[in-house]
Amino acid sequence: MNRHALVCRTILEHRETTQRDLAQTMDISLGTANRLVKECTEQGLIAPLEDGHYQVTAAGMELLEDYRVDGALIIAAGFGSRFVPLTFETPKGLLEVFGERMIERQIRQLHEVGITDITIVVGYLKEKFDYLIDKYQVKLLYNREYSTKNTLATIYHARRVLERGNMYLLSSDNWMRENMYHTYECGSWYSSVYKEGDTSEWCLSFNKKGKIQSVNVGGQNSWVMYGPVFLRKEWSEQFLPVLEAYYHLPGTEQFYWERVYLELVNGTAQKRLADAGVTQVSGLSVKQLPPSVPWPDLYINRQSSDQVYEFENLEELRLFDPKYQNHSDNEAMELVARVFGIPESEICNITCLKAGMTNKSFLFSAAGKRYICRIPGPGTELLINRQQEADVYEAVKSLNITEHVLYFNRDNGYKISEYYEGARNADPASRPDMAECMKLLKRVHQAQLNVPHRFDIRERIDFYENLCRSHGGIPFEDYGLVRGWMDELINVLDGLDRPQTLSHIDSVADNFLFLPDKSLRLIDWEYSGMCDPFIDVAMCSIYSYYNEEQTDWLAETYLERTPNPSERTVIYSYVALGGFLWALWAVYKSALGEEFGEYTLIMYRYAKRYYCKVQDLENSADRSGAEAPAVPMAKPLS
């Protein structure tokens, strides 16, 4: 930290600064202030005025130029799970505090000190940030790994921005009471506040000059890493190659970027890299990293307890800004308050339950009990008919096997249901669990329930195919060929005299709940309709990523006997068609910005592999002279 530059900056910003003012502003003793003023005067950096104040000279301004801040990088890619349901609609950094969005407050504060080169790293709901380009002339940088990796990856993707010069590194969801940014910064620093008692924050130890000497996760009565960061260009140039090496190491996906600094300053980075076989980092031998050599200085920037805020959850935000107690301007919170007849302030213990493939859900407490609120995901209105879903819940009510639904909106699909304490999902790896699930499915099918709509797999495949084509196309190279195979399967299935009854369709293990009293519930009926009941066995198999032996076992368990060749062929056909259908579904959802990893590939492989298995059944029957399966096939898969 260049204290002479800091003296010049303080005098420049405060205009009428005495030595006593300097001591107070710089948080140093009067004696140290007197010494620094003398040194700066002797070097011609400042000059005394007649009234006892000082002014910065041309030499002082030349010195400061090396410390000019070149820009800011703002991290805004994450989801903000602890702020649901607000962040289902709005990224955390765009939430308002006292009527001003947190990220806009920081941009405004940066502009006040002349910093206008601002890059925002976006990910979740990235489109929400687009308006900032026009309003503040910022740049947006998309982090494609925002949903699977932590801030180490974020900084890796934005490393070229930090390399450009002296840069602030900020979080979009920080709130600073007073503007703590400057046109000039005289050394690299990390903002810090004091935490009394036990804390899980990252605790700092530092010397008398404020240089950070070690970092520990958790501690007591400590100054902790909290809020903005400033990094000089030469600091970033040495740090970023190490961070880049960490990025490529297995097991670092969920690291914060600060973890790299922690291990450097604590002297453990060298061992981690060496153990991974890394011998050099940007031309520097790993042996030349700490503890063998000192690391570039990073200083603590101590702030008062009411200056910097990192809101951990909605409860903290409610305490800070009373608006959020009863007027969050969030549709889900307003709905819950209306359904239970309570103010929003009595909705508490809110946690993200699922930000999933079709819906988003959060858990909350109200009136002394816990409940789940389901919010339909983006684009779901095209995929799910909520009127039909409501009809299904009415039809199965007499079986007493679903979740207890307190509220259901037939128009938009919002649902509030009771949360079962101590319940667990079925385990697809547990045969006893899955045997119980098959019994429940069979009970539903044998009840011969009726609803006015069908689940028509041909119509659904056509529907998803058209959605995909209108949202960027279908990426599979052999799609036309495989689509023809699926049509063959459907044509033959349509010609069979198969029973039609209310089927769940979405019979994934997670939708089966074992309650503490050993009873079993089947939840989430939004895809349900009249269909061949064998489709539920097939869907359960592919959702569980079962192989052929496991699929056969599931069918035998459902039927309570060995399926005959025709039954096995029908189930295999639905496995193929289900895989094909959900592969298209995932392609469409990916086009909307959601990512499913290898799910799309797995589903598409089910379509191709089980088409071949149906052919194998036919060929086997032909060779043995036994009764042929009900689904003859054409050209085999090469």
Side-chain angles (χ1 to χ4, degrees), residues 177-368:
R177 187 177 300 278
E178 303 296 334
N179 191 345
M180 61 185 287
Y181 306 129
H182 301 276
T183 306
Y184 308 97
E185 289 288 358
C186 304
S188 300
W189 52 256
Y190 204 118
S191 173
S192 179
V193 300
Y194 189 76
K195 294 287 186 180
E196 292 187 355
D198 293 334
T199 179
S200 60
E201 299 283 355
W202 293 39
C203 302
L204 302 174
S205 64
F206 47 93
N207 63 19
K208 290 182 179 180
K209 292 186 177 181
K211 178 184 174 182
I212 297 172
Q213 296 180 307
S214 66
V215 184
N216 293 291
V217 180
Q220 289 182 320
N221 303 320
S222 180
W223 288 91
V224 304
M225 289 177 152
Y226 204 79
V229 182
F230 174 75
L231 302 175
R232 281 184 57 78
K233 187 175 189 294
E234 57 266 27
W235 197 96
S236 296
E237 286 174 346
Q238 291 184 266
F239 174 74
L240 290 174
V242 182
L243 180 139
E244 186 170 351
Y246 264 65
Y247 171 83
H248 293 291
L249 296 181
T252 62
E253 294 82 6
Q254 296 308 314
F255 277 16
Y256 295 104
W257 75 263
E258 291 93 339
R259 178 67 177 270
V260 182
Y261 172 70
L262 177 153
E263 295 193 1
L264 276 167
V265 74
N266 289 0
T268 57
Q270 185 181 114
K271 184 178 186 305
R272 180 185 291 277
L273 292 168
D275 288 348
V278 179
T279 58
Q280 285 196 330
V281 175
S282 190
L284 184 71
S285 170
V286 167
K287 293 180 179 179
Q288 294 176 279
L289 297 177
S292 302
V293 297
W295 190 250
D297 296 346
L298 185 67
Y299 291 86
I300 186 172
N301 184 350
R302 288 176 287 187
Q303 299 292 318
S304 64
S305 60
D306 63 347
Q307 162 62 8
V308 180
Y309 291 86
E310 291 183 358
F311 302 107
E312 292 296 322
N313 50 52
L314 180 55
E315 299 294 339
E316 284 190 8
L317 187 55
R318 279 174 166 175
L319 291 174
F320 191 73
D321 185 349
K323 164 197 168 181
Y324 287 97
Q325 292 180 11
N326 290 308
H327 300 287
S328 63
D329 295 328
N330 177 263
E331 185 176 1
M333 292 292 286
E334 292 171 354
L335 169 65
V336 171
R338 188 166 64 251
V339 169
F340 287 89
I342 57 176
E344 286 187 28
S345 58
E346 294 183 19
I347 307 169
C348 56
N349 301 320
I350 302 169
T351 56
C352 181
L353 194 60
K354 181 171 76 170
M357 292 182 168
T358 303
N359 301 305
K360 302 172 181 180
S361 303
F362 66 95
L363 188 64
F364 66 93
S365 296

